[in-house]
Amino acid sequence: MGSSTADRITVRGHDLVEDLIGKVSLGDMAFLELKGRLPTPKESTVFNALAVTLVEHGMTPSAIAARLTYFGAPESVQGAVAAGLLGIGDRFGGSVEEAARTLQEALAGSDTSPNFGRLANQVVASHKERKRPIAGIGHPIHKPIDPRTPKLFEIAAANGLSGRYVELMSAISVEAGRAYGKELPVNATGAIGAIASELEIPWQVSRGLAVMARAIGLVGHIREELDEPLSAEIWSRVDEESSGR
Amino acid sequence: MGSSTADRITVRGHDLVEDLIGKVSLGDMAFLELKGRLPTPKESTVFNALAVTLVEHGMTPSAIAARLTYFGAPESVQGAVAAGLLGIGDRFGGSVEEAARTLQEALAGSDTSPNFGRLANQVVASHKERKRPIAGIGHPIHKPIDPRTPKLFEIAAANGLSGRYVELMSAISVEAGRAYGKELPVNATGAIGAIASELEIPWQVSRGLAVMARAIGLVGHIREELDEPLSAEIWSRVDEESSGR
Amino acid sequence: MGSSTADRITVRGHDLVEDLIGKVSLGDMAFLELKGRLPTPKESTVFNALAVTLVEHGMTPSAIAARLTYFGAPESVQGAVAAGLLGIGDRFGGSVEEAARTLQEALAGSDTSPNFGRLANQVVASHKERKRPIAGIGHPIHKPIDPRTPKLFEIAAANGLSGRYVELMSAISVEAGRAYGKELPVNATGAIGAIASELEIPWQVSRGLAVMARAIGLVGHIREELDEPLSAEIWSRVDEESSGR
Amino acid sequence: MGSSTADRITVRGHDLVEDLIGKVSLGDMAFLELKGRLPTPKESTVFNALAVTLVEHGMTPSAIAARLTYFGAPESVQGAVAAGLLGIGDRFGGSVEEAARTLQEALAGSDTSPNFGRLANQVVASHKERKRPIAGIGHPIHKPIDPRTPKLFEIAAANGLSGRYVELMSAISVEAGRAYGKELPVNATGAIGAIASELEIPWQVSRGLAVMARAIGLVGHIREELDEPLSAEIWSRVDEESSGR
């Protein structure tokens, strides 16, 4: 949190004007907000890569909601972005959070060289028993593999941030593939959940990472509505069939 | 807007995996969303400075609303951030927007070397006549000057982005000071409105810039609530007097 | 506003337990919140009719946004309803507000028996000059007339609440029809704006009437999503064409 | 859901103009949205009593968030109400939902004359074992008893809607008092959860009941801000201490 007096504004111990404006990028400022300290150059590269990945996913339910809201309330850009963010819940943002949680909980008590195969096996078995899907693996559209995953893993490794969370995530993918008899590669939310864990972002905060990144993408959608509105067309396409008109 | 197929995700003409992840920072991605193209290095420096300035302003009404919402609905980080964003309206985000609008409209029809004093005079007179405050000048707290303003103007100048919008904003401050008989220096929202105009961001989109930056700051507030909750204390401080208990 | 102590809860001067629960209906409670006093039986009939009219309008952009938000964040019914409400802005809720404002401003200074034809003429001329649509008349779908309008006018008249606002609204419809050379009958938002004015609800609050009524309808949409979800289908219908998949 | 054609608007099988406007109250319309059918007179009395109870609770976090949001974005009444609703989450609206769920799940498989003492004992034991609070009993402020509870139970009984859910709720209160060695009377959310269950409202929808009722109360708070704004005072009271100014 920050504070401000007549001639000084402080954000988490840093003087906004002297130390931050013009010196740190928006991504590093986001790191500061989430972690309470500025990133090292390697952390910055990796964190920005995660955030950039989460900005924009095309015409998602969240983006449609933002555009339709702007259609009804053009006086309130903030309302349209807020409406879009409200859809970053258990189904979407929750997937990053759930992957991070699974990894952080599995490794919480373990020593520095855990048996990843055994931990992965326990994770898969416990999900199978409770009939719950495993967050972070498989993808309905991006097949055979989500192209973001190898890219993110490569960037993490090149910057010394591919450690035991990434290793466990990969092991879970292998074990789950065996248990369910089909390819279940790590998807983008799994990669992000694992790498955010390498950055020691608590799993409870990882949904916030998705929310802040998506706010940027949603402003981009509203920006497009200004120039080339799609919302009336979206509405008519939905309403035509649903109301029987 | 982006689109995605089985093996390729595109954001505004750029391949997400090949061209963006690991290559552009979050701030540059935000520029891409707002402008439809990536920034030059100088534009990047200036744009990131604007965005960083807008992230966090301490315990504002918006931050209080986000924290109290998280208190009531801890299951929904997205709801708390959305609630906070909903307060970035006419009074706050609108100030950047209004400053940018005033400048862009005043300079819309003018040639390359306008008479800034005369334009500023017209702006001040027209606001005075309609009894409307002039956006972007004066500040209730930061006196005598808002420390962010000279910093932002310096960064813009150092990167070749201090042109006629900045000049007009400064001229308006001088004319208004004369008309109202008191110091009315350019404040941070005026500086941001002017420099965003130098970056050719349409005034209608400048509120979106505030919204995306503040989303990051609001996640930071929620992050703090996780570790060190203030919301119950905030509530009791408000309610004690209002309910007469 | 209310207050509460250990054994007593008060809402706008009424003891909640003794005077309201079990004694007043939800609609009358809404009247109390908007007006600061309970309605007479005739006011209650008319106010409830207005509110009931505003609850539900089928698959509007607002309802679609609520359903898609629930799809992404099923943990947060409040988020889905909030997302839907955010679309009750200038285009939709604003229409009731604008109609009420036009009528209240036109009649603000007038005596008890104004010349309605002349006032209507002024309203139409002033809108035509500024090239602004007149709120409350015409309708893209309900032709030749919006079936809600005669019903609402009939109920207002039967309860002694059809006075000069209703008369002016009708006169505006006639004058506008003449000025634009086509039938422009009073639509439901015009009728509601006029009758809300008869109830002395300030125009600034009339959007709030739409918001509270629509919250009820949006919960109904979420209720339907629970039993028979349409959101995935809505999404695929929108996304199929927009992403070119 | 409704649909509309040129001359007819239908809401859940009822012709809006012929059957609903002027014939049903807002509370009965809400019942229709939640249940898919109109209430009997007795159901109407009980349902309206529940809804009225939930409208307004004074200066809650949700009401403060709505007022502060309106302060920042006076152009958007819908945004202020939405911000307030976003706080009706697990902690507040969730309490009604959780009470209803506990009762509905406990009685799901049971026959028509269950042993309430034994069921209550199981509920209390299972919560105690998981160290989870029991929803619907005890209250930090309203002591010794929440005055709304006996009123709601009395209205339910007088209208033939006090059955096994109410009985189980009361039994849980007794058992919990014994298990924890202190008075834990049924509070308003427990009474509402139980009586909503008597009305066969699924527990998943009971939070929606709180959300729709509270939307009305939040419009009332915004209404007050128009006449007699408290938000600036609220802000200064919070910020004074938190920022150390």
Side-chain angles (χ1 to χ4, degrees):
Chain A
M1 192 200 69
S3 70
S4 75
T5 61
D7 59 358
R8 194 157 191 271
I9 300 162
T10 308
V11 179
R12 295 178 182 260
H14 296 265
D15 186 296
L16 177 65
V17 172
E18 293 306 314
D19 302 336
L20 299 175
I21 298 176
K23 296 213 172 105
V24 307
S25 73
L26 185 64
D28 290 2
M29 187 76 175
F31 188 98
L32 174 62
E33 288 283 347
L34 282 186
K35 296 272 301 170
R37 65 169 175 85
L38 288 167
T40 65
K42 290 187 168 183
E43 286 172 336
S44 171
T45 301
V46 172
F47 180 79
N48 274 276
L50 297 187
V52 162
T53 305
L54 288 163
V55 165
E56 167 71 60
H57 289 195
M59 205 54 103
T60 56
S62 155
I64 299 167
R67 286 172 180 256
L68 290 175
T69 302
Y70 187 66
F71 179 70
E75 76 278 16
S76 169
V77 169
Q78 72 273 15
V81 175
L85 289 186
L86 289 170
I88 312 299
D90 275 1
R91 188 182 292 258
F92 297 109
S95 178
V96 171
E97 182 181 298
E98 190 62 23
R101 179 181 195 165
T102 300
L103 298 171
Q104 291 180 21
E105 290 184 346
L107 285 163
S110 76
D111 55 28
T112 48
S113 55
N115 182 328
F116 291 106
R118 192 163 60 198
L119 282 177
N121 199 284
Q122 285 165 4
V123 165
V124 172
S126 122
H127 280 79
K128 209 171 176 182
E129 190 189 312
R130 291 175 297 149
K131 287 181 183 154
R132 296 207 50 184
I134 301 168
I137 56 174
H139 199 285
I141 295 166
H142 301 297
K143 287 177 179 170
I145 64 155
D146 187 324
R148 295 166 291 187
T149 302
K151 188 69 175 186
L152 290 169
F153 279 166
E154 174 199 319
I155 292 167
N159 288 281
L161 282 158
S162 183
R164 51 197 204 136
Y165 296 102
V166 171
E167 194 155 346
L168 179 57
M169 192 74 239
S170 302
I172 289 171
S173 161
V174 171
E175 285 296 325
R178 206 170 287 158
Y180 290 93
K182 60 177 171 179
E183 292 285 304
L184 286 168
V186 178
N187 61 32
T189 62
I192 294 169
I195 299 170
S197 300
E198 302 287 350
L199 288 165
E200 293 178 349
I201 293 172
W203 63 261
Q204 296 90 335
V205 181
S206 53
R207 186 186 297 204
L209 174 61
V211 168
M212 61 168 62
R214 195 58 66 86
I216 293 173
L218 289 167
V219 173
H221 279 273
I222 303 307
R223 171 79 180 88
E224 273 199 350
E225 281 291 310
L226 267 174
D227 288 346
E228 194 187 342
L230 295 177
S231 44
E233 161 67 12
I234 289 171
W235 182 22
S236 74
R237 202 177 302 154
V238 172
D239 196 38
E240 194 175 8
E241 285 181 56
S242 63
S243 73
R245 261 190 266 149
Chain B
M1 195 202 64
S3 69
S4 75
T5 60
D7 59 358
R8 193 158 190 272
I9 300 163
T10 308
V11 177
R12 296 181 182 259
H14 296 265
D15 186 297
L16 177 65
V17 172
E18 293 306 314
D19 302 336
L20 300 175
I21 297 176
K23 297 212 171 108
V24 307
S25 73
L26 185 64
D28 290 2
M29 187 77 174
F31 189 98
L32 173 62
E33 288 283 347
L34 282 186
K35 297 271 302 171
R37 64 169 176 84
L38 287 167
T40 65
K42 290 187 168 186
E43 287 172 335
S44 172
T45 300
V46 172
F47 180 79
N48 274 277
L50 297 186
V52 162
T53 305
L54 289 162
V55 164
E56 168 70 60
H57 289 197
M59 205 55 101
T60 56
S62 153
I64 299 167
R67 285 171 181 256
L68 290 175
T69 302
Y70 186 66
F71 178 71
E75 76 277 17
S76 168
V77 168
Q78 71 273 15
V81 175
L85 289 185
L86 289 170
I88 312 299
D90 276 0
R91 188 183 291 257
F92 297 108
S95 178
V96 171
E97 182 182 297
E98 191 62 23
R101 180 182 193 163
T102 301
L103 298 171
Q104 292 180 20
E105 290 183 348
L107 285 164
S110 75
D111 54 28
T112 48
S113 55
N115 183 328
F116 292 105
R118 192 163 59 199
L119 283 176
N121 199 283
Q122 286 165 3
V123 165
V124 172
S126 122
H127 281 78
K128 210 170 175 182
E129 190 189 312
R130 291 174 297 148
K131 288 182 184 153
R132 296 207 48 185
I134 302 169
I137 56 175
H139 198 283
I141 294 167
H142 301 297
K143 287 172 179 171
I145 63 154
D146 187 323
R148 295 165 292 187
T149 303
K151 187 69 175 185
L152 289 169
F153 279 167
E154 174 199 319
I155 292 167
N159 288 281
L161 283 158
S162 182
R164 52 197 204 135
Y165 295 102
V166 170
E167 194 155 348
L168 179 56
M169 192 73 239
S170 302
I172 288 171
S173 161
V174 171
E175 284 296 327
R178 205 170 289 158
Y180 289 94
K182 59 176 172 178
E183 292 284 304
L184 287 167
V186 179
N187 60 31
T189 62
I192 293 170
I195 300 171
S197 300
E198 301 287 351
L199 288 166
E200 293 178 349
I201 293 171
W203 63 263
Q204 297 92 333
V205 181
S206 53
R207 184 184 298 205
L209 175 60
V211 168
M212 59 168 63
R214 195 58 67 84
I216 293 172
L218 289 167
V219 173
H221 279 272
I222 303 307
R223 172 77 178 86
E224 273 199 349
E225 281 291 311
L226 266 175
D227 288 346
E228 195 186 342
L230 296 177
S231 45
E233 161 66 12
I234 289 171
W235 182 21
S236 74
R237 204 177 300 154
V238 173
D239 196 37
E240 195 175 6
E241 285 180 55
S242 62
S243 73
R245 264 188 266 149
Chain C
M1 193 200 65
S3 69
S4 73
T5 59
D7 60 357
R8 194 159 190 271
I9 300 164
T10 308
V11 178
R12 297 181 182 259
H14 296 265
D15 186 296
L16 177 64
V17 172
E18 292 306 314
D19 301 338
L20 299 174
I21 297 176
K23 297 213 172 106
V24 307
S25 73
L26 185 64
D28 290 2
M29 187 78 174
F31 188 97
L32 173 62
E33 289 284 348
L34 283 186
K35 297 272 301 171
R37 64 168 176 85
L38 287 168
T40 66
K42 290 188 168 182
E43 287 172 334
S44 172
T45 301
V46 172
F47 180 78
N48 274 277
L50 298 186
V52 161
T53 306
L54 288 162
V55 165
E56 168 70 60
H57 289 197
M59 206 54 104
T60 55
S62 154
I64 299 167
R67 285 173 180 254
L68 290 175
T69 302
Y70 187 66
F71 179 70
E75 76 277 17
S76 168
V77 168
Q78 72 272 17
V81 175
L85 289 185
L86 290 170
I88 312 300
D90 276 0
R91 188 183 291 259
F92 297 109
S95 178
V96 171
E97 182 181 297
E98 190 63 23
R101 179 181 194 164
T102 301
L103 297 171
Q104 292 180 21
E105 288 184 348
L107 285 164
S110 76
D111 54 27
T112 48
S113 55
N115 183 328
F116 292 106
R118 192 162 59 198
L119 283 176
N121 199 284
Q122 285 165 4
V123 165
V124 172
S126 123
H127 280 79
K128 209 171 177 181
E129 190 188 312
R130 290 175 296 148
K131 288 181 184 154
R132 295 207 51 184
I134 302 169
I137 56 174
H139 199 284
I141 294 166
H142 301 297
K143 287 176 179 168
I145 64 153
D146 187 323
R148 295 165 292 187
T149 302
K151 187 70 176 184
L152 289 169
F153 280 166
E154 174 198 319
I155 292 167
N159 287 281
L161 283 158
S162 183
R164 51 196 204 137
Y165 296 102
V166 170
E167 195 156 346
L168 179 55
M169 191 74 240
S170 302
I172 288 171
S173 161
V174 171
E175 285 296 326
R178 205 170 289 158
Y180 291 94
K182 59 177 171 178
E183 292 284 305
L184 286 167
V186 179
N187 61 32
T189 63
I192 293 169
I195 299 170
S197 300
E198 302 287 350
L199 288 166
E200 294 178 349
I201 292 172
W203 63 262
Q204 296 92 333
V205 181
S206 53
R207 186 185 296 205
L209 175 61
V211 168
M212 60 169 63
R214 194 59 66 85
I216 293 172
L218 289 167
V219 174
H221 280 272
I222 303 307
R223 172 77 179 88
E224 273 199 350
E225 281 290 311
L226 265 175
D227 288 346
E228 195 188 341
L230 295 176
S231 44
E233 162 66 13
I234 289 171
W235 182 21
S236 74
R237 204 178 299 153
V238 172
D239 196 37
E240 195 175 8
E241 284 181 56
S242 63
S243 73
R245 260 188 267 151
Chain D
M1 194 200 66
S3 69
S4 75
T5 61
D7 60 358
R8 193 159 191 272
I9 300 163
T10 308
V11 177
R12 295 180 184 260
H14 297 265
D15 186 297
L16 176 65
V17 172
E18 293 306 314
D19 302 337
L20 299 174
I21 298 175
K23 297 211 172 106
V24 306
S25 72
L26 184 63
D28 289 3
M29 188 76 174
F31 188 98
L32 174 61
E33 289 283 347
L34 283 186
K35 298 271 302 170
R37 65 168 175 85
L38 288 166
T40 66
K42 292 188 167 183
E43 287 171 335
S44 172
T45 300
V46 172
F47 180 79
N48 275 276
L50 297 186
V52 162
T53 305
L54 288 163
V55 164
E56 169 69 60
H57 290 195
M59 205 54 102
T60 56
S62 154
I64 299 167
R67 286 172 180 255
L68 290 175
T69 301
Y70 186 67
F71 178 71
E75 76 278 17
S76 168
V77 169
Q78 72 273 14
V81 175
L85 288 185
L86 289 170
I88 311 301
D90 276 0
R91 189 183 291 257
F92 296 110
S95 178
V96 171
E97 181 181 298
E98 191 62 21
R101 178 180 194 165
T102 301
L103 297 171
Q104 292 181 21
E105 290 184 346
L107 286 163
S110 76
D111 54 28
T112 49
S113 56
N115 182 329
F116 292 106
R118 192 163 61 198
L119 282 176
N121 198 284
Q122 285 165 5
V123 165
V124 172
S126 120
H127 280 79
K128 210 171 176 182
E129 189 189 311
R130 290 175 297 149
K131 288 179 184 156
R132 297 206 50 185
I134 301 169
I137 56 174
H139 199 284
I141 295 167
H142 301 296
K143 287 174 179 170
I145 64 155
D146 187 324
R148 295 165 290 187
T149 302
K151 188 68 174 185
L152 290 169
F153 279 166
E154 174 199 318
I155 292 167
N159 288 280
L161 282 157
S162 182
R164 52 195 204 137
Y165 296 102
V166 170
E167 194 155 347
L168 179 56
M169 191 73 239
S170 303
I172 289 171
S173 161
V174 172
E175 286 294 328
R178 204 170 291 158
Y180 291 94
K182 58 176 173 180
E183 292 284 302
L184 286 167
V186 179
N187 61 31
T189 61
I192 293 170
I195 299 170
S197 300
E198 302 287 350
L199 288 165
E200 294 178 348
I201 294 172
W203 62 263
Q204 296 92 334
V205 181
S206 53
R207 184 184 299 205
L209 174 61
V211 167
M212 59 168 64
R214 195 59 66 86
I216 293 172
L218 289 167
V219 173
H221 280 272
I222 303 307
R223 172 77 179 87
E224 274 200 349
E225 281 292 311
L226 266 175
D227 288 348
E228 195 188 341
L230 295 177
S231 44
E233 161 66 12
I234 288 171
W235 182 22
S236 73
R237 202 178 302 153
V238 172
D239 196 37
E240 195 175 5
E241 285 181 56
S242 62
S243 73
R245 262 190 266 149

Short mmCIF file of all heavy atoms in Angstrom, two decimals, chain A residues 207, chain B residues 69-77, chain C residues 78, chain D residues 86-87 89-92:
data_model
loop_
_atom_site.label_atom_id
_atom_site.label_comp_id
_atom_site.label_asym_id
_atom_site.label_seq_id
_atom_site.Cartn_x
_atom_site.Cartn_y
_atom_site.Cartn_z
N ARG A 207 -4.54 -15.78 -8.86
CA ARG A 207 -5.71 -15.32 -9.60
C ARG A 207 -5.64 -13.81 -9.83
O ARG A 207 -6.08 -13.31 -10.86
CB ARG A 207 -7.01 -15.67 -8.86
CG ARG A 207 -8.25 -15.34 -9.67
CD ARG A 207 -9.54 -15.55 -8.90
NE ARG A 207 -9.72 -16.95 -8.52
CZ ARG A 207 -10.90 -17.50 -8.28
NH1 ARG A 207 -12.00 -16.78 -8.40
NH2 ARG A 207 -11.00 -18.75 -7.92
N THR B 69 -14.96 -5.05 -0.07
CA THR B 69 -15.62 -6.08 -0.88
C THR B 69 -14.95 -7.44 -0.68
O THR B 69 -15.61 -8.47 -0.56
CB THR B 69 -15.59 -5.68 -2.36
OG1 THR B 69 -16.24 -4.41 -2.50
CG2 THR B 69 -16.30 -6.70 -3.23
N TYR B 70 -13.64 -7.42 -0.61
CA TYR B 70 -12.90 -8.67 -0.36
C TYR B 70 -13.25 -9.23 1.03
O TYR B 70 -13.35 -10.44 1.21
CB TYR B 70 -11.40 -8.39 -0.45
CG TYR B 70 -10.55 -9.63 -0.36
CD1 TYR B 70 -10.61 -10.60 -1.35
CD2 TYR B 70 -9.70 -9.84 0.71
CE1 TYR B 70 -9.84 -11.75 -1.28
CE2 TYR B 70 -8.92 -10.98 0.80
CZ TYR B 70 -9.00 -11.92 -0.19
OH TYR B 70 -8.24 -13.07 -0.11
N PHE B 71 -13.47 -8.34 1.97
CA PHE B 71 -13.87 -8.75 3.32
C PHE B 71 -15.18 -9.54 3.27
O PHE B 71 -15.34 -10.56 3.93
CB PHE B 71 -14.04 -7.50 4.18
CG PHE B 71 -14.49 -7.75 5.59
CD1 PHE B 71 -13.64 -8.33 6.52
CD2 PHE B 71 -15.75 -7.37 6.01
CE1 PHE B 71 -14.05 -8.54 7.83
CE2 PHE B 71 -16.17 -7.57 7.32
CZ PHE B 71 -15.31 -8.17 8.23
N GLY B 72 -16.12 -9.06 2.46
CA GLY B 72 -17.43 -9.73 2.38
C GLY B 72 -17.43 -10.93 1.45
O GLY B 72 -18.23 -11.85 1.63
N ALA B 73 -16.55 -10.92 0.47
CA ALA B 73 -16.56 -11.98 -0.55
C ALA B 73 -15.14 -12.47 -0.83
O ALA B 73 -14.62 -12.27 -1.91
CB ALA B 73 -17.23 -11.47 -1.82
N PRO B 74 -14.52 -13.12 0.16
CA PRO B 74 -13.12 -13.54 -0.02
C PRO B 74 -12.96 -14.60 -1.10
O PRO B 74 -11.84 -14.85 -1.53
CB PRO B 74 -12.75 -14.10 1.36
CG PRO B 74 -14.04 -14.44 2.01
CD PRO B 74 -15.05 -13.47 1.49
N GLU B 75 -14.05 -15.18 -1.56
CA GLU B 75 -13.97 -16.19 -2.61
C GLU B 75 -13.72 -15.58 -3.98
O GLU B 75 -13.49 -16.28 -4.96
CB GLU B 75 -15.26 -17.03 -2.66
CG GLU B 75 -16.48 -16.36 -3.29
CD GLU B 75 -17.23 -15.44 -2.33
OE1 GLU B 75 -16.66 -15.05 -1.29
OE2 GLU B 75 -18.39 -15.11 -2.65
N SER B 76 -13.79 -14.24 -4.07
CA SER B 76 -13.82 -13.61 -5.39
C SER B 76 -12.86 -12.43 -5.46
O SER B 76 -13.25 -11.28 -5.32
CB SER B 76 -15.27 -13.18 -5.67
OG SER B 76 -15.33 -12.34 -6.79
N VAL B 77 -11.58 -12.72 -5.70
CA VAL B 77 -10.60 -11.65 -5.89
C VAL B 77 -11.05 -10.75 -7.04
O VAL B 77 -10.93 -9.51 -6.97
CB VAL B 77 -9.20 -12.24 -6.21
CG1 VAL B 77 -8.24 -11.18 -6.69
CG2 VAL B 77 -8.64 -12.96 -4.99
N GLN C 78 -23.27 -13.09 -6.90
CA GLN C 78 -23.27 -11.64 -6.81
C GLN C 78 -22.48 -11.00 -7.96
O GLN C 78 -22.84 -9.93 -8.46
CB GLN C 78 -22.75 -11.18 -5.44
CG GLN C 78 -21.26 -11.36 -5.21
CD GLN C 78 -20.87 -12.73 -4.64
OE1 GLN C 78 -21.65 -13.68 -4.68
NE2 GLN C 78 -19.66 -12.84 -4.13
N LEU D 86 -21.18 -6.70 -4.89
CA LEU D 86 -20.02 -7.61 -4.95
C LEU D 86 -19.54 -8.04 -3.57
O LEU D 86 -18.83 -9.03 -3.43
CB LEU D 86 -18.89 -6.95 -5.75
CG LEU D 86 -19.19 -6.86 -7.25
CD1 LEU D 86 -18.17 -5.99 -7.97
CD2 LEU D 86 -19.24 -8.24 -7.88
N GLY D 87 -19.94 -7.29 -2.54
CA GLY D 87 -19.59 -7.69 -1.18
C GLY D 87 -20.57 -8.65 -0.53
O GLY D 87 -20.36 -9.07 0.61
N GLY D 89 -20.97 -11.73 -0.47
CA GLY D 89 -20.31 -12.98 -0.84
C GLY D 89 -20.36 -14.01 0.27
O GLY D 89 -21.31 -14.05 1.05
N ASP D 90 -19.32 -14.82 0.35
CA ASP D 90 -19.33 -15.93 1.30
C ASP D 90 -19.61 -15.48 2.73
O ASP D 90 -20.27 -16.20 3.48
CB ASP D 90 -17.98 -16.65 1.27
CG ASP D 90 -17.93 -17.68 0.15
OD1 ASP D 90 -18.92 -17.83 -0.57
OD2 ASP D 90 -16.89 -18.34 -0.01
N ARG D 91 -19.11 -14.29 3.11
CA ARG D 91 -19.27 -13.91 4.51
C ARG D 91 -20.69 -13.48 4.84
O ARG D 91 -21.21 -13.78 5.91
CB ARG D 91 -18.31 -12.78 4.86
CG ARG D 91 -18.26 -12.48 6.35
CD ARG D 91 -17.35 -11.32 6.67
NE ARG D 91 -15.96 -11.66 6.44
CZ ARG D 91 -15.10 -11.94 7.43
NH1 ARG D 91 -15.50 -11.92 8.69
NH2 ARG D 91 -13.86 -12.22 7.15
N PHE D 92 -21.35 -12.77 3.91
CA PHE D 92 -22.69 -12.28 4.22
C PHE D 92 -23.78 -13.11 3.53
O PHE D 92 -24.46 -13.89 4.17
CB PHE D 92 -22.79 -10.79 3.92
CG PHE D 92 -21.88 -9.98 4.79
CD1 PHE D 92 -20.76 -9.36 4.28
CD2 PHE D 92 -22.11 -9.90 6.15
CE1 PHE D 92 -19.88 -8.65 5.10
CE2 PHE D 92 -21.24 -9.19 6.99
CZ PHE D 92 -20.13 -8.57 6.46
#
